[in-house]
Amino acid sequence: MKNNSITIETISANSLIQWPGRNILKQIFPAVRHLYASYSEQIKYCLATLVVGAIFLGSIFIFFVQLAEYGW
């Protein structure tokens, strides 16, 4: 397992309050980029699985609509 240098504590409410003049987005974006870099392969696999599942379910839906409209 990878040792992530950015933890939940880094983007917690306490750290956001410590620098009131600093933009909140400037604190959150590096953490999001780091999480994406750490899990980019898993994110790609998850998105590919969702797309294939959506195509599969869409084709089943179209099949049942055609079946209900024209019969077997």
Side-chain angles (χ1 to χ4, degrees):
M1 184 176 284
K2 295 180 181 178
N3 185 6
N4 295 330
S5 60
I6 296 179
T7 62
I8 299 298
E9 186 177 304
T10 306
I11 58 173
S12 69
N14 291 335
S15 66
L16 295 175
I17 293 171
Q18 288 177 356
W19 298 294
R22 191 171 177 197
N23 191 356
I24 292 175
L25 293 177
K26 288 184 180 179
Q27 294 177 18
I28 293 175
F29 280 147
V32 171
R33 266 191 243 119
H34 179 71
L35 285 174
Y36 178 75
S38 297
Y39 297 106
S40 65
E41 188 173 340
Q42 289 86 356
I43 290 170
K44 289 176 186 176
Y45 287 144
C46 181
L47 289 175
T49 303
L50 288 174
V51 167
V52 170
I55 291 170
F56 182 71
L57 289 176
S59 63
I60 289 174
F61 176 75
I62 291 171
F63 171 75
F64 282 129
V65 167
Q66 292 293 319
L67 182 64
E69 188 173 337
Y70 298 110
W72 189 261

